[in-house]
Structures are given as C-alpha cells and as structure tokens.
Amino acid sequence: MTPVNLSRRDEQLLELMDDPNCDPQRLNATLRRFGLVNRLISGWDLIYRRRLRGILTSLDRPARVLDLGSGGGDVLARLAELAARDGIAVDWTGADPDPRAHEAARARAEPGISFLCADADELISRGESFDVVLSNHVLHHLSAAELQQFTAASRQLCSGTVMHTDIARGRLAYGLYSVAITPLAPGTFLRTDGLRSIRRSYQRAELASALGPDWDVSSPAPFRLLAQGAGHV
C-alpha cells in the first residue's frame, strides 16, 4: 500500500458525497450517522461550554445563531439541546444549498430550529443578520478562493462572533480515524470521505496563514481547529 502524504493539503482530492450523482442510499445513511460521528469528534460540546454558552447568555434577548453549511443538521440540533438544558432561549437556523442535505436536516426541525436550502449569498441578499455564525467541516471542502469568499460572507451575516471548526490534518488523526470509524462505516461514505477530509484539511499554521490576522485559530480539542473572528454587520 502506498503511504499517504500528509505533509500538505491534497486540495484536488474529491469526496464521494460531494458528487451530485452519488448513491442516494449511502448518502442518506452517511448523513444520519453524522450525528454520532460529530458527537465523538467535532468538539462542539467543549466549544459550547467554554465559548458559545457565554456569548448566548450575554444578550438581553434570545440569540440568533446560524449554522452555515449545516449538512444533515446534527451539529445545530446538538447545540440546541445543550442550550435548552441550560435554559437558554435561542433561535437556531441551519442553511445548506445542497437539497439532499436540506431534506435530511428537515427531520431535525422543531420549534426554535429551522433549516433553509440556501447559501450565504442568498441570506445576505435577504438582509439576514445573526448574533453567531458557525460552521462545521466546511473549510476543508473549499479552494483558497472559496475559503476567502465563505469566511467573508460569514462575517457579513454576523453582528457578533463567527466560529468555523474543522479537522486538523495529521498522521495520528488519520490512523486513529481509519480504525475507529470501521464499525460505523458499512453502507456509508464515512470511511472513504473521512480519510479524504483529513487529507484535504489544514494544519493550524496553514489555516491561520490562509485566513489572515483578523482570525484567531486555536485547537480547542484533539485533532480539531477553531477559527474565530468578529462579525461585520
């Protein structure tokens, strides 16, 4: 087996679920299982406790939070669950331009949690504004130009804090994921696309350099990156 080169991003490597003609059954199974996978690896529970909760409680009204590129909606639903446990009122919105992801996310909609089939530009054109804009596992999908466009648009939609999380590329993350995901992978794209995601992802210094000095890039949990910046609304 040829060793995988993780010394730099493999931006040309495509993920199977990004193919509009991919197997819809495997795609749906992948989106459903993201709920468990993200609970295990995304680090959002920790980010909520250490950063997001304080922001949500600092307002004298229910905060408006946008998950940009929300996929199957599991991260937004989990954050809403955590806030509800703490008695924090929040208006949660997920937006994703992929109708396949939007259809999966709609099953998680409930009072206070809504999902839109829309991208950032459409929300900007509507004049939308949110107190917090976040994303999970979006940045590694983007080219250098798309990264600048996406993060700039996220700031245009935000009056408070923007938080983008992603995987930190590394050999240990690659090795551990390849083994740990095996029980959940049958019938999904989780193993192939997860390993490709790691190969496409940034290391901390790379992401900080790509985003520039307006962003603070940290590692809030093992194998995770968090890019945090101020909104521009």
Side-chain angles (χ1 to χ4, degrees):
M1 182 179 295
T2 304
V4 174
N5 181 8
L6 293 168
S7 63
R8 59 182 180 179
R9 287 190 72 213
D10 190 345
E11 189 179 311
Q12 304 306 312
L13 191 63
L14 300 180
E15 296 181 29
L16 299 177
M17 65 184 298
D18 288 339
D19 180 351
N21 297 312
C22 71
D23 184 331
Q25 290 186 330
R26 293 184 70 190
L27 176 64
N28 288 334
T30 301
L31 291 170
R32 289 196 304 271
R33 292 185 198 172
F34 271 154
L36 176 57
V37 173
N38 280 323
R39 281 283 298 274
L40 295 173
I41 69 172
S42 71
W44 274 107
D45 282 37
L46 185 63
I47 295 169
Y48 169 80
R49 291 194 301 270
R50 292 185 175 178
R51 303 195 187 207
L52 183 56
R53 179 166 54 189
I55 296 171
L56 300 179
T57 57
S58 67
L59 304 175
D60 58 1
R61 54 173 173 76
R64 298 192 72 215
V65 178
L66 170 68
D67 182 358
L68 198 54
S70 52
D74 59 280
V75 169
L76 195 73
R78 175 59 179 170
L79 292 173
E81 178 185 350
L82 293 173
R85 287 181 187 176
D86 289 335
I88 304 171
V90 182
D91 179 11
W92 303 93
T93 301
D96 198 300
D98 187 333
R100 304 169 304 170
H102 175 65
E103 187 62 28
R106 287 176 59 192
R108 300 181 187 273
E110 56 182 71
I113 307 174
S114 61
F115 293 95
L116 305 172
C117 191
D119 61 14
D121 288 341
E122 184 173 346
L123 297 178
I124 291 170
S125 70
R126 295 182 189 180
E128 296 280 6
S129 175
F130 300 86
D131 300 294
V132 177
V133 174
L134 57 89
S135 77
N136 180 69
H137 290 180
V138 173
L139 302 188
H140 73 264
H141 287 272
L142 309 175
S143 67
E146 290 168 340
L147 177 70
Q148 297 302 319
Q149 294 165 0
F150 179 80
T151 53
S154 69
R155 299 179 82 175
Q156 283 184 260
L157 287 164
C158 186
S159 60
T161 303
V162 182
M163 297 178 172
H164 298 300
T165 69
D166 214 323
I167 307 158
R169 190 180 78 254
R171 187 157 299 281
L172 182 57
Y174 190 90
L176 290 175
Y177 183 85
S178 67
V179 174
I181 199 62
T182 300
L184 297 173
T188 74
F189 299 127
L190 286 172
R191 191 174 194 279
T192 298
D193 277 5
L195 294 175
R196 292 184 180 186
S197 293
I198 295 171
R199 294 171 65 181
R200 285 188 59 98
S201 295
Y202 293 88
Q203 295 179 347
R204 182 175 177 177
E206 293 171 341
L207 184 57
S209 176
L211 292 177
D214 288 344
W215 293 87
D216 174 65
V217 179
S218 61
S219 180
F223 318 122
R224 302 296 301 172
L225 298 177
L226 169 63
Q228 186 166 329
H232 281 173
V233 174

